[in-house]
């Protein structure tokens, strides 16, 4: 493809392969002598399992194996783990929720796996499932996020009072109360952050095989990192030697956080394949995905801001009820607490903050990380609150922000939540966004819309997110001098971000080698280092590891080149894949030096043979990308249908590897944020606990014609805590979009001051009600 430097807009290397149908996704894997599996799921939100009769199903044609919770108990298998402890305000530990891979004694949400049927064909497995007789004693259920924590709600666990799994706080409670006591003005806002069904383009799948000779299992599955899946299955659930389990992930059709986590079907497939001694295939259909994929968001929040007479913020106080579902997922307790809460501070210089989060258990699918993972919820809260405060104070939304932004000369700035923002110019980025959006010309456009009987609004949201931190990533780079190829192994897992392009671009920049001479290997726990894609950390952490490994190759190569060409190491220059003696025509290529490095006789004393390099990067601090989203919208009051007429976003991503890939990530994130704001509505029936919006007939996904062409640009300030100067980009679009979109609707409906808020999703029927009965707000 050529040599490319950091900062160039290079088209994605992987696109041709994927767009021409040459990708290999999990369901594309075909093994010899496969069997098929089907999961019998609970039809009830909450029920006791009195008995399960398998006699007819076991006798059905083609059935090879049926597993239930009794088999799980008999083999003493472990439960699905929650990895994150939480300490309550009173010092006690959070509640526990035992979650077996197949239900035992009780089911707690519709769709919970009850039996795993393996047969010669999928149709036979489905037919056998219909013959299984489960005697349920249906119990009262509860699904509402807030009401589930009130007295009188159905109790899901005997030892979790009022279904509140934890009651957690962060910040300076006493100082915050004092700030509110002396405030000249207090703005209060109650918000709902609606639940999201992830709906990745590629459904979840698990294909497992077992080799009796080596006593080793292999699992092919769509994931965001193979080692996490392997370790959870081996260490926590099947209690096997993890070296006896290989997890392989091919191409991934979207993850968005959900595919980080082990789901029950993965260990079930591994377990069953060993029992039947042949491959077992399970692939989710879309309806199963609605009932069983980890879901996201679902918060009910009361937020308050205290101001002085000049509109300066004195304190922030937030109480959130976070719906965790029926069981605690891997990081389900982390998302509403440490992952998101610190971003409630936004870009503002709050002297005091206090956040209280109550984790609520309900008879719903468990929740966990969904693109942004706590940060979209936090930014939606603070930005909607700031907008309302501005209206109450009679200030424009930009003026109130301008008075309260952290200023450049205050950076690095330690927020009241303890985060250290290293770089940025928040006022400048807002003002650039306003200029690009022609904020000054909005009044004329609004008047023109009014002449046509239409409503027009404009909404702003600024954001900051904490990302690009966490565990180390390792780049294992190996050079094949005979074929003049470089292969690098890395544990992150591309699921649409363009890793094959961005990593090679970094290496090409550092080594001056054509990207066609590079091969990236991901997605195989037997050969790649541990790693994870999530939290906008692949390039910010993994990319640094690739850069460090490339630099190490150059440095070692210089020493070998000096030995080979009989000169001082200081006289060796490197450029364009060639080591050269400065001021002469004597040179050796990178691959010639790599060949020479295999012979110890060519090496300086004490140097290990070979030019391969394995380097890790452990981030010392996270990165803090930030930006400004501005959404302009026209609404037909006769139908309530909104049309986004223009959407402007200016981001600060620090130094950039590939602006084109960044634009693609931002565009996709905006669409997901707009989808949450306007369309996606996960609805459970209050009485039965049934998922009412369980298909695309009832759950509307965003479409291409829901959004205009985006005006995306960057105003970057180099990150001072990342060796490449970069900030995470993968989730930013989804973080700023919901607040900007809802703010535009509120602005359109707020003539006369009657409307101050509207909950997500703002569907046409909801908008129509507000547009035609404004005093109802």
């Amino acid at each position: 493809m050529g040599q490319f430097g950091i900062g160039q807009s290079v088209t994605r290397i992987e696109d041709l392969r994927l767009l021409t149908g040459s990708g290999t996704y999990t369901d594309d894997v075909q093994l010899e002598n496969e069997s098929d599996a089907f999961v019998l799921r609970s039809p009830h939100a909450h029920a006791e399992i009195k008995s399960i009769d398998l006699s007819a199903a076991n006798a059905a044609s083609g059935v090879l194996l049926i597993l239930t919770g009794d088999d799980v108990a008999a083999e003493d298998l472990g439960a699905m783990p929650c990895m994150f402890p939480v300490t309550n305000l009173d010092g006690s530990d959070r509640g526990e929720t035992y979650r077996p891979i197949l239900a035992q004694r009780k089911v707690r949400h519709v769709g919970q796996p009850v039996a795993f049927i393996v047969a010669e064909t999928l149709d036979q497995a489905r037919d056998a499932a219909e013959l299984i007789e489960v005697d349920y004693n249906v119990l009262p259920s509860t699904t509402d996020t807030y009401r589930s924590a009130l007295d009188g709600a159905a109790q899901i666990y005997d030892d979790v009072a009022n279904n509140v799994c934890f009651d957690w706080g962060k910040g300076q409670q006493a100082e915050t109360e004092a700030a509110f006591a002396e405030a000249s003005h207090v703005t209060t806002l109650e918000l709902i952050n609606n639940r999201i069904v992830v709906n990745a383009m590629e459904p979840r799948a698990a294909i497992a095989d077992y080799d009796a000779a080596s006593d080793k299992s292999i699992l092919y599955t769509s994931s965001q990192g193979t080692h996490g899946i392997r370790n959870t299955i081996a260490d926590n659930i099947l209690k096997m030697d993890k070296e006896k389990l290989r997890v392989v992930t091919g191409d991934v059709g979207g993850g968005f956080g959900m595919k980080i986590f082990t789901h029950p079907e993965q260990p079930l497939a591994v377990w069953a394949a060993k029992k039947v001694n042949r491959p077992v295939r399970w692939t989710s259909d879309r309806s199963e995905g609605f009932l069983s994929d980890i879901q996201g968001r679902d918060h009910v929040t009361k937020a308050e801001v205290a101001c002085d007479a000049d509109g300066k913020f004195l304190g922030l106080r937030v109480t959130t009820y976070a719906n965790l579902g029926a069981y605690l997922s891997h990081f389900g307790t982390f998302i509403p607490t440490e992952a998101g809460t610190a971003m409630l501070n936004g870009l503002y210089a709050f002297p005091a903050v206090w956040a209280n989060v109550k984790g609520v258990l309900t008879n719903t699918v468990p929740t966990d990380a969904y693109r942004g993972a706590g940060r979209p919820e936090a930014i939606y809260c603070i930005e909607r609150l700031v907008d309302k405060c501005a209206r109450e104070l009679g200030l424009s939304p930009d003026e109130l922000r301008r008075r309260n932004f952290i200023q450049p000369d205050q950076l690095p700035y330690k927020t009241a939540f303890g985060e250290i923002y290293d770089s940025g110019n928040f006022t400048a980025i807002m003002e650039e966004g306003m200029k690009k959006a022609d904020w000054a010309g909005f009044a004329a456009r609004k008047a023109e819309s009014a002449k046509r009987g239409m409503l027009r609004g404009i909404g702003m949201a600024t954001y900051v997110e904490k990302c690009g931190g966490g565990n180390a990533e390792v780049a294992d780079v190996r050079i094949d001098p005979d074929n003049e190829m470089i292969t690098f192994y890395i544990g992150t897992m591309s699921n649409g971000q363009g890793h094959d392009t961005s990593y090679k671009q970094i290496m090409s920049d550092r080594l001056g080698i054509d990207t066609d001479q590079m091969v990236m290997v991901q997605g195989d726990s037997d050969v790649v280092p541990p790693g994870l894609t999530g939290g906008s950390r692949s390039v910010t952490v993994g990319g640094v590891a690739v850069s460090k490994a490339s630099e190490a190759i150059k440095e070692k190569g210089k020493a070998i080149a000096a030995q080979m060409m009989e000169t001082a190491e200081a006289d060796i220059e490197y450029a364009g894949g060639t080591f050269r003696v400065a001021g002469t025509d004597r040179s050796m290529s990178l691959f010639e030096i790599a060949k020479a490095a295999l012979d110890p006789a060519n090496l300086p004393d004490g140097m290990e043979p070979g030019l391969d390099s394995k380097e890790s990067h452990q981030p010392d601090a996270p990165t803090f990308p930030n930006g400004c989203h501005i959404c302009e919208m026209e609404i037909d009051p006769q139908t309530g249908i909104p049309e986004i007429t223009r959407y402007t976003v200016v981001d600060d991503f620090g130094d950039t590897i590939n602006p084109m890939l960044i634009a693609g990530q931002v565009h996709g994130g905006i669409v997901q944020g707009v989808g949450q704001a306007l369309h996606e509505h996960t609805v459970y029936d209050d009485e039965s606990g049934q998922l009412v919006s369980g298909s695309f007939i009832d759950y509307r996904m965003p479409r291409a014609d829901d959004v205009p062409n985006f005006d995306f640009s960057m105003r970057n300030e180099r990150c001072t805590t990342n060796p490449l100067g970069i900030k995470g980009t993968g989730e930013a679009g989804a973080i700023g979009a919901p607040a900007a979109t809802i703010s535009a609707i509120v602005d359109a409906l707020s003539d006369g001051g009657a409307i101050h808020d509207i909950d997500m999703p703002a569907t046409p029927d909801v908008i129509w009600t507000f547009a035609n009965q404004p005093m109802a707000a």
Side-chain angles (χ1 to χ4, degrees):
M1 187 174 178
Q3 293 181 26
F4 299 100
I6 289 174
Q8 292 181 255
S9 286
V10 181
T11 56
R12 297 202 325 174
I13 294 170
E14 53 267 62
D15 280 352
L16 180 63
R17 176 177 63 84
L18 296 174
L19 292 173
T20 55
S22 299
T24 303
Y25 299 88
T26 299
D27 198 57
D28 293 324
V29 174
Q30 301 291 324
L31 303 179
E32 187 177 349
N33 196 31
E34 282 185 347
S35 59
D36 286 280
F38 180 77
V39 179
L40 178 68
R41 301 185 183 277
S42 169
H44 303 294
H46 197 196
E48 295 175 344
I49 299 175
K50 298 173 67 177
S51 65
I52 301 177
D53 186 349
L54 303 177
S55 55
N58 274 322
S61 176
V63 171
L64 302 173
L65 175 72
I66 301 177
L67 298 168
T68 70
D70 288 344
D71 300 296
V72 173
E75 298 198 19
D76 192 29
L77 300 187
M80 302 283 289
C82 176
M83 308 291 195
F84 189 73
V86 175
T87 301
N88 293 312
L89 289 172
D90 64 5
S92 62
D93 294 331
R94 63 162 170 78
E96 296 287 349
T97 60
Y98 173 71
R99 184 188 180 194
I101 55 176
L102 291 169
Q104 297 172 359
R105 298 182 296 279
K106 273 189 178 183
V107 291
R108 291 184 169 89
H109 69 86
V110 173
Q112 183 173 353
V114 174
F116 193 72
I117 304 98
V118 181
E120 296 286 351
T121 69
L122 180 57
D123 284 343
Q124 289 174 329
R126 288 180 183 272
D127 289 345
E130 294 184 2
L131 298 175
I132 297 175
E133 295 184 11
V134 184
D135 186 6
Y136 292 103
N137 176 34
V138 178
L139 302 171
S141 62
T142 182
T143 59
D144 183 82
T145 303
Y146 177 72
R147 293 198 300 271
S148 294
L150 301 180
D151 291 339
Q155 293 298 288
I156 303 175
Y157 295 90
D158 294 339
D159 57 350
V160 180
N162 282 20
N163 300 314
V164 176
C165 178
F166 61 78
D167 186 4
W168 175 90
K170 187 180 182 75
Q172 309 84 32
Q173 187 171 19
E175 292 88 338
T176 302
E177 295 302 323
F180 274 82
E182 66 180 48
S184 297
H185 179 84
V186 173
T187 294
T188 302
L189 183 62
E190 295 183 358
L191 297 164
I192 292 175
N193 204 291
N194 46 318
R195 178 181 282 241
I196 295 294
V197 177
V198 176
N199 281 312
M201 187 179 294
E202 178 203 19
R204 290 189 299 109
I207 302 171
D209 197 7
Y210 174 70
D211 178 52
S214 63
D215 187 31
K216 187 163 185 175
S217 297
I218 184 168
L219 171 66
Y220 301 90
T221 192
S222 187
S223 78
Q224 291 177 232
T226 55
H227 286 77
I229 301 291
R230 182 199 66 175
N231 295 350
T232 299
I233 293 174
D235 295 343
N236 298 99
I237 300 171
L238 297 185
K239 301 180 181 179
M240 60 186 290
D241 179 356
K242 62 187 176 186
E243 300 305 321
K244 293 291 187 179
L245 175 60
R246 178 186 180 192
V247 176
V248 176
T249 294
D251 292 309
V252 180
F256 311 112
M258 179 263 289
K259 290 181 181 174
I260 293 173
F261 313 115
T262 303
H263 287 70
E265 298 84 2
Q266 292 159 320
L268 283 168
V270 174
W271 187 32
K274 185 173 183 178
K275 286 184 171 294
V276 299
N277 199 24
R278 59 189 286 190
V280 173
R281 168 186 294 271
W282 173 83
T283 300
S284 172
D285 62 29
R286 191 58 69 182
S287 294
E288 278 187 292
F290 272 94
L291 294 174
S292 62
D293 292 353
I294 292 297
Q295 298 175 359
R297 313 288 195 247
D298 203 345
H299 291 181
V300 174
T301 296
K302 179 181 178 181
E304 302 165 280
V305 61
C307 307
D308 68 13
D310 296 321
K312 291 285 288 184
F313 296 157
L314 302 176
L316 174 69
R317 186 166 58 197
V318 178
T319 300
T320 292
Y321 289 76
N323 194 332
L324 306 173
Y327 299 95
L328 301 182
S329 182
H330 289 46
F331 302 132
T333 55
F334 174 67
I335 303 308
T337 54
E338 292 290 356
T341 294
M343 294 299 98
L344 286 167
N345 199 101
L347 295 173
Y348 308 107
F350 279 106
V353 293
W354 174 250
N356 173 221
V357 181
K358 302 177 192 298
V360 183
L361 299 169
T362 64
N363 294 115
T364 62
V365 175
T367 59
D368 211 310
Y370 172 68
R371 195 172 192 171
R375 286 98 79 200
E377 296 93 313
I379 294 302
Y380 182 74
C381 173
I382 186 61
E383 290 301 288
R384 295 294 308 116
L385 180 63
V386 169
D387 266 10
K388 186 183 180 190
C389 182
R391 290 184 183 279
E392 291 180 351
L393 294 174
L395 298 174
S396 65
D398 58 297
E399 178 57 28
L400 184 59
R401 287 174 170 85
R402 194 175 285 108
R403 294 184 187 186
N404 288 283
F405 276 152
I406 299 162
Q407 297 303 307
D409 61 5
Q410 295 177 278
L411 298 170
Y413 180 89
K414 187 174 183 179
T415 73
F417 279 121
E419 302 296 337
I420 299 177
Y421 298 173
D422 67 286
S423 57
N425 191 327
F426 312 135
T427 300
I429 210 167
M430 177 185 72
E431 290 176 347
E432 185 163 335
M434 294 173 68
K435 180 179 179 181
K436 286 181 173 293
D438 188 20
W439 188 281
F442 171 73
R445 297 191 295 276
K446 185 178 180 71
E448 190 278 330
S449 293
K451 290 178 182 178
R452 295 183 284 106
M454 307 291 277
L455 305 174
R456 183 176 285 262
I458 192 166
M460 171 192 295
T462 60
Y463 80 91
V464 62
E465 65 155 323
K466 175 184 176 181
C467 63
N471 295 331
E473 291 292 341
V474 176
D476 185 356
V477 181
R478 305 176 193 177
I479 301 176
D480 176 359
D482 293 329
N483 295 301
E484 297 193 347
M485 292 294 295
I486 299 175
T487 301
F488 63 97
Y489 301 78
I490 194 161
T492 62
M493 190 69 236
S494 184
N495 45 96
Q497 296 89 348
H499 292 186
D500 200 26
T501 303
S502 54
Y503 288 148
K504 288 179 180 177
Q505 198 168 345
I506 293 169
M507 187 174 290
S508 181
D509 182 271
R510 296 300 190 246
L511 295 179
I513 300 297
D514 196 292
T515 56
D516 289 337
Q517 295 175 273
M518 302 173 189
V519 176
M520 179 186 71
V521 178
Q522 294 182 312
D524 188 332
S525 64
D526 270 12
V527 299
V528 304
L532 172 70
T533 290
S536 300
R537 63 188 306 277
S538 292
V539 175
T540 51
V541 185
V544 174
V546 170
S547 177
K548 290 169 70 173
S550 302
E551 294 290 352
I553 288 170
K554 282 198 300 186
E555 292 308 307
K556 185 175 182 180
K558 285 181 179 180
I560 299 170
Q563 180 95 345
M564 296 293 296
M565 292 186 280
E566 299 179 331
T567 189
E569 186 176 339
D571 292 334
I572 298 294
E573 298 175 340
Y574 181 85
T578 299
F579 295 94
R580 187 180 307 277
V581 179
T584 75
D585 60 357
R586 293 159 54 200
S587 65
M588 294 180 71
S589 74
L590 173 67
F591 294 106
E592 288 173 330
I593 293 296
K595 179 85 168 178
L598 298 175
D599 184 351
N602 296 326
L603 304 179
D605 291 343
M607 181 177 283
E608 290 291 325
L611 199 57
D612 297 345
S613 176
K614 187 174 184 179
E615 294 287 338
S616 68
H617 175 62
Q618 171 68 60
D620 296 324
T623 70
F624 291 94
N626 57 88
C628 177
H629 288 235
I630 297 176
C631 176
E632 188 168 330
M633 184 178 295
E634 190 174 71
I635 294 172
D636 184 346
Q638 300 302 313
T639 63
I641 294 175
E643 178 188 2
I644 299 175
T645 57
R646 58 200 299 169
Y647 198 104
T648 307
V649 57
V650 181
D651 285 314
D652 172 5
F653 291 136
D655 290 348
T656 58
I657 304 299
N658 187 320
M660 185 182 295
L661 294 191
I662 290 173
Q665 287 293 295
V666 172
H667 289 183
I670 292 171
V671 173
Q672 284 184 271
V674 168
Q676 180 180 10
L678 298 182
H679 308 298
E680 299 185 55
H681 198 190
T682 308
V683 180
Y684 285 90
D685 182 78
D686 283 341
E687 293 188 8
S688 68
Q690 295 291 327
L691 179 63
V692 178
S693 54
S695 74
F696 287 147
I697 295 174
D698 302 297
Y699 187 98
R700 188 187 187 282
M701 298 289 286
R703 303 168 184 169
D705 61 358
D706 290 329
V707 293
N709 288 328
F710 301 123
D711 182 350
F712 165 70
S713 61
M714 290 179 280
R715 188 190 186 284
N716 294 325
E717 301 278 342
R718 180 178 173 83
C719 178
T720 64
T721 61
N722 182 279
L724 293 176
I726 60 179
K727 304 175 185 179
T729 65
E731 297 160 295
I735 292 171
T741 304
I742 293 298
S743 291
I745 295 173
V746 171
D747 185 60
L749 298 175
S750 64
D751 287 345
I755 306 296
H756 61 75
D757 194 47
I758 188 169
D759 280 326
M760 298 189 293
T763 54
D765 58 320
V766 174
I767 294 174
W768 182 90
T769 299
F770 276 90
N772 289 277
Q773 302 177 39
M775 296 307 296

